[in-house]
Amino acid sequence: MSPRGVATPDVRERLFAAAERVVEQGGPGALTSRSVTTEAGCAKGLLHAHFAGLDEFVAELCLDRFARTAAKARALSGLIGQGTVADNLDAVVLALLDSGGPALSGLALTRPAATRRIREALEGGAPGFTAIQEAVTAYLAEEQERGRVAATLDPHTVALALVGTAHHLLMTSWPGTPDPRPAMTRLVAALLKG
């Protein structure tokens, strides 16, 4: 445990990763400031020293994970013509479901103040599902121009189906339910067949 008064490196990520583990193991009800700091192995007050409260912490955690996935989706543009289109898309859509995605979505839904902060941030331009969908659409359009996906494929509709399905799985999965990732991989393959 970090002693009081000693800087904790990468404190946000350390607390976020600890929260993901707490929620994955015990569900949304297990998340408290104390459970997070205990799991992170740091001082009990560290979470409140960096966040206004647990709702702000949960909102920032969800927004951070959205931003990471949006960055991964934007990076698809650097993969045009490389690897397989299915593998490239899998990496993005599965990232939405990794890092406790279903558990975190459930957590956000149980905390109305966190949900409101997330919605306000997304409305204000924070990257979320829309940014991911736009990046996937642009990637598919580029791959289509190169002949790597069918000319009849509608990039916008495929991107909407992928992101919408990921959103559905996030909202209807919780710890203990079947792993949603195999279904996403099958969906990617089916949509690319056109």
Side-chain angles (χ1 to χ4, degrees):
M1 179 158 311
S2 300
R4 290 190 103 207
V6 174
T8 304
D10 301 321
V11 67
R12 283 176 57 93
E13 182 52 35
R14 188 170 174 182
L15 291 171
F16 288 167
E20 289 174 334
R21 291 189 300 272
V22 167
V23 173
E24 285 174 5
Q25 294 165 8
L31 190 83
T32 63
S33 300
R34 184 170 295 268
S35 67
V36 171
T37 54
T38 298
E39 179 68 25
C42 57
K44 302 296 179 218
L46 189 63
L47 187 142
H48 291 284
H50 291 272
F51 301 93
L54 198 55
D55 287 324
E56 180 181 302
F57 173 76
V58 168
E60 289 297 318
L61 169 58
C62 291
L63 290 167
D64 178 81
R65 295 325 192 221
F66 278 146
R68 284 181 177 205
T69 305
K72 186 171 259 190
R74 286 189 301 271
L76 282 170
S77 64
L79 298 175
I80 295 167
Q82 300 175 29
T84 70
V85 174
D87 286 347
N88 294 340
L89 289 176
D90 273 348
V92 171
V93 295
L94 296 181
L96 281 166
L97 304 176
D98 286 341
S99 296
L104 291 179
S105 296
L107 174 64
L109 290 174
T110 66
R111 306 193 68 84
T115 301
R116 185 173 44 258
R117 285 170 99 62
I118 293 166
R119 185 180 59 248
E120 289 168 356
L122 293 174
E123 288 172 353
F129 287 111
T130 300
I132 296 164
Q133 181 182 339
E134 289 168 355
V136 170
T137 299
Y139 168 73
L140 286 170
E142 289 291 330
E143 292 287 25
Q144 191 173 47
E145 285 184 20
R146 284 164 176 72
R148 290 180 21 108
V149 296
T152 56
L153 183 125
D154 178 355
H156 179 75
T157 301
V158 169
L160 176 62
L162 291 173
V163 174
T165 300
H167 184 264
H168 166 74
L169 291 171
L170 285 170
M171 295 297 122
T172 60
S173 299
W174 50 85
T177 59
D179 183 357
R181 290 175 292 199
M184 284 303 300
T185 298
R186 289 191 304 273
L187 179 63
V188 167
L191 290 171
L192 291 177
K193 286 181 183 175

